Short mmCIF file of all heavy atoms in Angstrom, two decimals:
data_model
loop_
_atom_site.label_atom_id
_atom_site.label_comp_id
_atom_site.label_asym_id
_atom_site.label_seq_id
_atom_site.Cartn_x
_atom_site.Cartn_y
_atom_site.Cartn_z
N SER A 40 -76.95 -102.34 -194.49
CA SER A 40 -77.73 -101.35 -195.24
C SER A 40 -77.94 -101.78 -196.70
O SER A 40 -78.76 -101.20 -197.40
CB SER A 40 -77.10 -99.96 -195.18
OG SER A 40 -75.76 -100.02 -195.51
N LYS A 41 -77.23 -102.81 -197.16
CA LYS A 41 -77.42 -103.29 -198.55
C LYS A 41 -78.83 -103.85 -198.75
O LYS A 41 -79.23 -104.08 -199.89
CB LYS A 41 -76.40 -104.36 -198.89
CG LYS A 41 -75.00 -103.85 -199.06
CD LYS A 41 -74.75 -103.18 -200.39
CE LYS A 41 -73.29 -102.79 -200.50
NZ LYS A 41 -73.00 -101.82 -201.52
N ASN A 71 -71.98 -107.89 -198.55
CA ASN A 71 -73.32 -107.67 -198.01
C ASN A 71 -74.41 -107.61 -199.09
O ASN A 71 -75.54 -107.99 -198.83
CB ASN A 71 -73.33 -106.37 -197.20
CG ASN A 71 -72.53 -106.51 -195.91
OD1 ASN A 71 -72.45 -107.60 -195.36
ND2 ASN A 71 -71.95 -105.43 -195.43
N TYR A 155 -81.89 -95.72 -201.21
CA TYR A 155 -81.48 -95.01 -199.99
C TYR A 155 -82.28 -93.73 -199.75
O TYR A 155 -82.00 -93.01 -198.79
CB TYR A 155 -79.97 -94.72 -200.04
CG TYR A 155 -79.15 -95.97 -199.92
CD1 TYR A 155 -78.81 -96.72 -201.04
CD2 TYR A 155 -78.75 -96.45 -198.67
CE1 TYR A 155 -78.08 -97.90 -200.93
CE2 TYR A 155 -78.02 -97.63 -198.55
CZ TYR A 155 -77.70 -98.35 -199.68
OH TYR A 155 -77.00 -99.52 -199.57
N ALA A 175 -69.47 -94.14 -195.62
CA ALA A 175 -68.41 -94.92 -196.27
C ALA A 175 -68.86 -95.28 -197.68
O ALA A 175 -70.06 -95.47 -197.92
CB ALA A 175 -68.13 -96.19 -195.47
N VAL A 176 -67.89 -95.36 -198.59
CA VAL A 176 -68.25 -95.54 -200.00
C VAL A 176 -67.66 -96.84 -200.56
O VAL A 176 -66.49 -97.16 -200.32
CB VAL A 176 -67.73 -94.34 -200.83
CG1 VAL A 176 -68.17 -94.46 -202.28
CG2 VAL A 176 -68.24 -93.02 -200.24
N SER A 177 -68.53 -97.54 -201.32
CA SER A 177 -68.05 -98.74 -202.04
C SER A 177 -68.66 -98.73 -203.44
O SER A 177 -68.05 -98.23 -204.38
CB SER A 177 -68.41 -100.00 -201.25
OG SER A 177 -67.94 -101.12 -201.92
N SER A 178 -69.90 -99.22 -203.58
CA SER A 178 -70.55 -99.11 -204.90
C SER A 178 -71.06 -97.68 -205.10
O SER A 178 -71.48 -97.31 -206.18
CB SER A 178 -71.73 -100.07 -205.00
OG SER A 178 -72.82 -99.59 -204.23
N SER A 179 -71.07 -96.91 -204.03
CA SER A 179 -71.53 -95.51 -203.96
C SER A 179 -73.06 -95.38 -203.93
O SER A 179 -73.57 -94.27 -203.99
CB SER A 179 -70.96 -94.65 -205.10
OG SER A 179 -71.72 -94.77 -206.28
N GLY A 180 -73.76 -96.49 -203.78
CA GLY A 180 -75.23 -96.41 -203.69
C GLY A 180 -75.68 -95.56 -202.52
O GLY A 180 -76.53 -94.67 -202.67
N ALA A 181 -75.11 -95.82 -201.34
CA ALA A 181 -75.55 -95.10 -200.14
C ALA A 181 -75.27 -93.60 -200.28
O ALA A 181 -76.17 -92.77 -200.10
CB ALA A 181 -74.86 -95.68 -198.91
N GLY A 220 -65.46 -104.42 -197.65
CA GLY A 220 -66.65 -103.61 -197.36
C GLY A 220 -66.55 -102.19 -197.85
O GLY A 220 -67.49 -101.64 -198.42
N SER A 264 -66.39 -100.23 -192.21
CA SER A 264 -66.91 -98.93 -192.65
C SER A 264 -67.36 -98.08 -191.48
O SER A 264 -67.21 -96.86 -191.48
CB SER A 264 -68.07 -99.13 -193.61
OG SER A 264 -67.63 -99.84 -194.74
N PRO A 292 -72.92 -99.34 -191.48
CA PRO A 292 -73.60 -100.29 -192.37
C PRO A 292 -73.71 -101.73 -191.88
O PRO A 292 -74.68 -102.40 -192.17
CB PRO A 292 -72.76 -100.27 -193.65
CG PRO A 292 -71.80 -99.15 -193.50
CD PRO A 292 -71.65 -98.89 -192.05
N ASP A 293 -72.68 -102.25 -191.19
CA ASP A 293 -72.79 -103.67 -190.79
C ASP A 293 -72.10 -103.93 -189.46
O ASP A 293 -71.40 -103.08 -188.92
CB ASP A 293 -72.29 -104.62 -191.90
CG ASP A 293 -70.80 -104.51 -192.19
OD1 ASP A 293 -70.13 -103.64 -191.61
OD2 ASP A 293 -70.30 -105.31 -193.01
N TYR A 298 -65.77 -109.62 -189.45
CA TYR A 298 -64.41 -109.06 -189.43
C TYR A 298 -63.61 -109.63 -188.25
O TYR A 298 -62.54 -109.13 -187.93
CB TYR A 298 -64.48 -107.53 -189.31
CG TYR A 298 -65.29 -106.87 -190.41
CD1 TYR A 298 -66.69 -106.77 -190.31
CD2 TYR A 298 -64.69 -106.34 -191.55
CE1 TYR A 298 -67.44 -106.18 -191.30
CE2 TYR A 298 -65.45 -105.74 -192.54
CZ TYR A 298 -66.82 -105.67 -192.42
OH TYR A 298 -67.56 -105.08 -193.40
C1 LIG B 401 -69.71 -102.64 -195.08
C2 LIG B 401 -70.30 -101.58 -195.94
N1 LIG B 401 -69.59 -100.48 -196.20
C3 LIG B 401 -70.07 -99.48 -196.98
C4 LIG B 401 -71.34 -99.53 -197.50
C5 LIG B 401 -71.82 -98.45 -198.41
O1 LIG B 401 -71.66 -99.02 -199.62
P1 LIG B 401 -72.13 -98.51 -201.03
O2 LIG B 401 -71.22 -97.37 -201.39
O3 LIG B 401 -71.85 -99.74 -201.85
O4 LIG B 401 -73.55 -98.15 -201.00
C6 LIG B 401 -72.13 -100.65 -197.23
C7 LIG B 401 -73.49 -100.75 -197.69
O5 LIG B 401 -74.25 -101.58 -197.26
C8 LIG B 401 -71.60 -101.72 -196.45
O6 LIG B 401 -72.31 -102.82 -196.19
#
Side-chain angles (χ1 to χ4, degrees):
S40 50
K41 289 282 184 197
N71 290 330
Y155 291 88
V176 184
S177 181
S178 74
S179 84
S264 299
D293 66 355
Y298 304 83

